[in-house]
Structures are given as C-alpha cells and as structure tokens.
C-alpha cells in the first residue's frame, strides 16, 4: 500500500479538518472508505453551500466532485502532481440544508500524463443520484 493511501485510510471516519486541501477543509466531508483510486465521502449540506433557492449550489456540487476526484488521484500514490483540465457535471435532483450527501469516486483510466476520473453524488440512502461528473487531470511539469 502506498504512503498516500495509508494516510487516507487513517482518516476514515474522521472529518476533513486536517486535509491538505483548503477547499476540502471548508467542505469538511467525512471519509467513508478509501482504496487506491476509489474514495467515498459524506457531506452535510450547510447554508453557505446553497443557492438563493436554498438548495445545494451547482458550483458547490462541482467543487465537491473536483476535490473528491483530486483526492482519488492523490490516493494512487504517484510521485507527480496532477491538476484538472476539464470537468463536466450533470445535475439530476436537489439537496437542501441539513441533507447528507455521498460522493463516490473512481479512476476510469490511470494514464501517465492524463488521468480520467468519475464521481457520483448521491443522497444519504443512495436512492437518488444528485449529480455525476467526469474529469481529466494532467500531470504537471515542474519548470525551473
């Protein structure tokens, strides 16, 4: 098991207040499970995550997906850093303040230069898919 995955496994059942990602600290999910490239997070929708209609903001949903798939790439333990080059999200149903939602990530293609990812966001009992997204991340090249 790689060092990054070991770190994530040690966070199972805990909130994200110690995350390396400032965005993840703000979203503050609880990590439910962690395998290489496959993570599940639980989020409680807070008022500041909603739009004027009082439902989960589409931008917040996109941020959840982007941050969760970034963590999934992190879990692979690759020595290089990757960043998002695109993100497409389909929205299906809403979530409101107080709802618990689940984000489940997977790596579709684990390439050396490009990693293709997928994330589904569900309601707490997984009876309704709130949104799904897919994203490509590209390896960053350090320039001296």
């Amino acid at each position: 098991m790689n060092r990054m995955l070991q770190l994530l496994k040690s966070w199972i059942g805990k909130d994200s207040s110690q995350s390396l990602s400032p965005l993840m600290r703000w979203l503050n999910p609880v990590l439910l499970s962690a395998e290489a490239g496959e993570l599940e997070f639980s989020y409680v929708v807070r008022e500041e995550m909603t739009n004027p209609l009082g439902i989960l903001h589409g931008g917040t949903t996109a941020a959840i997906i982007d941050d969760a798939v970034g963590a999934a790439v992190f879990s692979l333990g690759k020595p290089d850093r990757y960043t998002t080059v695109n993100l497409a999200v389909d929205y299906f149903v809403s979530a409101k303040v107080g709802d618990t939602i689940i984000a489940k990530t997977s790596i579709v293609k684990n390439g050396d230069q490009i990693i293709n990812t997928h994330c589904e966001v569900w309601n707490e009992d997984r009876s309704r898919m709130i949104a799904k997204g897919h994203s490509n991340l590209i390896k960053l090249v350090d320039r001296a």
Side-chain angles (χ1 to χ4, degrees), residues 3-138:
R3 194 173 66 94
M4 302 307 172
L5 184 56
Q6 285 179 327
L7 176 63
L8 286 166
K9 283 186 174 278
S10 75
W11 290 346
I12 291 174
K14 298 177 182 171
D15 71 18
S16 296
S17 57
Q18 301 301 309
S19 174
L20 302 174
S21 165
L23 177 60
M24 188 168 281
R25 288 193 303 265
W26 182 80
L27 292 168
N28 201 26
V30 172
L31 182 61
L32 300 177
S33 65
E35 296 299 332
E38 296 182 6
L39 304 176
E40 284 193 19
F41 295 96
S42 171
Y43 304 76
V44 175
V45 178
R46 302 184 314 270
E47 184 179 14
E48 63 269 25
M49 299 165 106
T50 64
N51 63 23
L53 299 175
I55 59 176
L56 183 64
H57 192 289
T60 306
T61 306
I64 286 169
I65 292 169
D66 191 44
D67 210 46
V69 299
V73 170
F74 182 77
S75 76
L76 298 172
K78 292 185 171 220
D80 300 298
R81 296 175 299 146
Y82 289 77
T83 192
T84 304
V85 293
N86 68 342
L87 173 65
V89 180
D90 295 315
Y91 302 93
F92 303 114
V93 298
S94 61
K96 63 186 182 319
V97 172
D99 286 354
T100 297
I101 60 174
I102 308 295
K104 180 178 172 133
T105 66
S106 61
I107 302 296
V108 177
K109 172 101 172 57
N110 183 5
D112 182 51
Q113 297 295 318
I114 300 279
I115 299 174
N116 181 268
T117 65
H118 178 81
C119 182
E120 296 176 350
V121 180
W122 292 85
N123 66 339
E124 186 172 22
D125 70 5
R126 301 174 199 240
S127 63
R128 298 180 339 164
M129 186 183 295
I130 294 167
K132 70 175 182 173
H134 64 273
S135 176
N136 290 298
L137 291 89
I138 190 167

